[in-house]
Amino acid sequence: MNEQKKVEFGRRVAQANPTQLVVITFDIALTYLEDAEDALPKASEEQAQAKESSFALKKLRESILNLQNALDFQYEVAKSFLSLYSYVLREVARAEAKRDAAPLANVKLVLSSLRNSFEEIESQDKREPLMENAQSVYVGLTYRRGNLEETIPPDANRGYLA
Amino acid sequence: MRINYNVTAYRALNSLNNNDNNVSVSLQKLSSGLQVVGAKENPAGLAMSKRMNMQIEGVKQANNNTSDGISIAETADGALTEVHDMLQRINELAIKANSATWLDEDRKMMDDEAQQLMSEIERIAKDTEFNGQPLLNGNWDLKGYVNNSTEVKVATYSDDVVTGTYILPDSLPTVEFDKDGNISNANKDSDIFSSAKKLVGLPLKVASPGEGLRSLDDCVITDVVGNRLKISDGKNVEVQLEIKRPVALPTASDSDLVSLESLEIELKGLGAMTLQTGANEHQVLDFRIQELSLQNMGLATGSDKKYRENLLTMDAADSLLKKIGGAIQFVSDIRSRIGAYQNRLEHTVNNLDVTEENMTSAYSRIMDVDMAEEMTNYTSQQVLSQAATSMLAQANQRPSEVLQLLQ
């Protein structure tokens, strides 16, 4: 996770419908997971890496809890999600305790698979974007003093259908 | 339309208006799906349905709390799984070191690994947290205080102790320490001390405890380990007191140190994590997690490294080997307690859903990566084939919550 990614995520959130928001949360979780995988191998020796990995795992856990708290248990499938999130949380705790990235491989499998499924159905969610008065962004070029930022959405159709 | 004061017409108009009102009220009822439309229509009914709404909203929140509780249990259990593995490894090392074929220099290497594992266990106790709160460092253990001594404190006590303030007898031997920082006057068989000074086996019943105080009936001091006194009634009441080591340890062994007489020990029964698991008052679950310290496990007699068990000699290895079983048992006990809480929480989630008029089956706890893989495949398929319900089940976040993850 770096500043550029945060800007990108922020832009995606501004335009997201509810299902896209779920995909974004999974993507945030996976980004932090990769940060943790990078930092954990050296966490036992280097203090900086230990802090880094702790922070990344904490954020990963928060992302999962965010998804878990959004579950509506009126629907049967919410139980399946809860099982998976509980498993993920346990594996994250193991990774933190052992200072080992191995359990995170299992977590990555679970999260990537769910993320992809939600991405496939996101076009079926006909609800409006959740943020009001957010501008439609086709290609993002914003400038501030001394700074020019460009974000290019991966699906750069710019609103055209073809 | 002009209405004149034609009474017949007026009456007709009134009834037309009334009908109109009724029609629009019915329309309102149909479109909103609510039986009770406005307070003026059925005030008692409205009051009741609003309360039920609060129940349902309360139940939804309680559901969140309950699934949080499940997450806490999983996080704690994940960490404890690793601690369990570490203890098994220390066990292996102790068995290895307990063989006469090694020289003490070889044992040093095994001890290095064992010491590192023990440090790791301490780190896990300190670092494992949920939502910024440490879980395994005694934060959520039952609290107890000694009111009238700064040298004695309550280390831990069992669930079955009746809460209240207990008083110790007014004539007990004082506690004395040896040069290693361990309590020395435990047994009467020691020939340095007269039998009047022994601690182990002393009954702690107080005949008339006084106003508001209780007595530790049927309890005796059963054991002395390091700087702790273990008090028990032989059944399920257990209290451990920790005596602060003197700053300057004695070289001679006959100095009077810490007094236990008439100590008031307040065992509050509070401190466990309270989870609100239902929509109403008193629907709570108390989650007790003991401190995961080496001392509680019996592998150390103090928090400094010099008080830890080690593998430096064959005798030391033998001692550690005897203690590691107790340590593993301690961790297992915490894990099974957490498992029991988890069962109750899962059961609560079901009950809450029943209250929401939805008979759903229990969520299943995934134990290993193969189950996880199966469940992931199954759930991903469900998302694709039941897109609408999946969206309703999961896609309920607020953008502000997601943005917070980026802070």
Side-chain angles (χ1 to χ4, degrees), chain B residues 118-312:
Chain B
M118 287 197 253
S119 296
E120 274 301 285
I121 294 176
E122 286 188 322
R123 180 193 66 83
I124 291 172
K126 196 165 56 83
D127 286 352
T128 304
E129 58 163 58
F130 186 86
N131 264 1
Q133 304 228 44
L135 289 181
L136 302 173
N137 69 344
N139 218 8
W140 302 111
D141 197 2
L142 297 180
K143 309 285 191 282
Y145 306 97
V146 176
N147 291 333
N148 49 357
S149 168
T150 52
E151 279 117 358
V152 183
K153 70 175 183 129
V154 175
T156 182
Y157 55 101
S158 56
D159 290 334
D160 294 312
V161 174
V162 176
T163 60
T165 306
Y166 291 83
I167 187 159
L168 290 185
D170 57 8
S171 67
L172 286 172
T174 52
V175 175
E176 308 185 22
F177 285 88
D178 64 19
K179 63 173 171 47
D180 296 320
N182 298 320
I183 296 177
S184 51
N185 58 327
N187 298 311
K188 68 167 192 247
D189 298 327
S190 158
D191 45 2
I192 305 178
F193 299 102
S194 62
S195 60
K197 288 195 173 186
K198 69 157 184 167
L199 287 169
V200 173
L202 285 179
L204 298 173
K205 181 176 170 123
V206 173
S208 42
E211 179 96 26
L213 297 170
R214 308 180 94 103
S215 146
L216 283 165
D217 291 344
D218 304 328
C219 287
V220 299
I221 299 181
T222 52
D223 199 6
V224 169
V225 176
N227 66 340
R228 285 197 183 177
L229 295 179
K230 293 193 183 171
I231 297 170
S232 166
D233 70 344
K235 283 172 279 182
N236 39 27
V237 167
E238 199 195 287
V239 180
Q240 284 189 29
L241 296 176
E242 192 172 301
I243 322 274
K244 194 162 146 195
R245 290 186 162 97
V247 173
L249 289 169
T251 45
S253 53
D254 227 57
S255 40
D256 285 353
L257 290 170
V258 178
S259 168
L260 298 170
E261 293 174 2
S262 303
L263 282 190
E264 283 179 22
I265 306 175
E266 199 177 334
L267 301 178
K268 297 175 97 89
L270 300 172
M273 187 189 300
T274 304
L275 292 173
Q276 185 78 30
T277 52
N280 303 315
E281 220 189 335
H282 300 308
Q283 287 177 329
V284 295
L285 183 68
D286 278 340
F287 219 126
R288 175 195 184 176
I289 308 180
Q290 281 173 289
E291 184 186 0
L292 191 72
S293 69
L294 293 173
Q295 203 165 357
N296 276 348
M297 283 189 237
L299 296 180
T301 55
S303 44
D304 196 293
K305 281 195 184 149
K306 66 182 181 194
Y307 292 115
R308 286 188 197 170
E309 296 285 320
N310 64 58
L311 295 174
L312 295 170

Side-chain angles (χ1 to χ4, degrees), chain B residues 345-397:
Chain B
L345 285 169
E346 291 171 24
H347 188 61
T348 315
V349 169
N350 294 341
N351 282 346
L352 291 169
D353 289 326
V354 166
T355 319
E356 279 190 23
E357 292 180 38
N358 201 352
M359 304 287 292
T360 50
S361 55
Y363 95 97
S364 49
R365 205 176 158 203
I366 300 178
M367 299 309 291
D368 63 20
V369 64
D370 297 319
M371 268 181 82
E373 208 180 309
E374 277 310 306
M375 195 55 157
T376 306
N377 288 339
Y378 172 70
T379 309
S380 300
Q381 279 307 310
Q382 274 210 299
V383 168
L384 294 173
S385 60
Q386 297 182 36
T389 28
S390 303
M391 282 189 241
L392 288 167
Q394 174 69 93
N396 301 311
Q397 294 158 289

Side-chain angles (χ1 to χ4, degrees), chain B residues 34-40 42-59 279-280:
Chain B
L34 293 170
Q35 276 287 16
V36 182
V37 173
K40 66 171 162 45
N42 185 354
L46 180 66
M48 191 157 72
S49 81
K50 272 223 179 303
R51 194 167 69 230
M52 288 202 68
N53 235 11
M54 218 168 70
Q55 282 283 70
I56 293 173
E57 286 306 315
V59 162
N280 303 315

Side-chain angles (χ1 to χ4, degrees), chain A residues 39-54:
Chain A
L40 273 171
K42 292 162 249 150
S44 317
E45 286 109 55
E46 290 169 47
Q47 184 73 312
Q49 296 295 327
K51 264 185 84 170
E52 184 66 43
S53 65
S54 260

Side-chain angles (χ1 to χ4, degrees), chain B residues 60-121:
Chain B
K60 283 201 181 119
Q61 183 55 50
N63 249 343
N64 276 350
N65 291 348
T66 307
S67 51
D68 267 350
I70 292 174
S71 308
I72 291 169
E74 294 289 355
T75 306
D77 194 55
L80 288 170
T81 309
E82 294 309 320
V83 171
H84 217 140
D85 285 350
M86 288 178 197
L87 289 172
Q88 300 281 24
R89 177 65 188 151
I90 296 177
N91 194 24
E92 281 171 26
L93 291 166
I95 292 173
K96 201 167 165 179
N98 202 17
S99 161
T101 52
W102 303 105
L103 297 173
D104 282 353
E105 293 98 76
D106 305 317
R107 289 201 186 86
K108 177 83 177 62
M109 282 192 63
M110 298 176 217
D111 182 63
D112 280 345
E113 189 182 339
Q115 293 301 323
Q116 203 189 15
L117 287 167
M118 287 197 253
S119 296
E120 274 301 285
I121 294 176

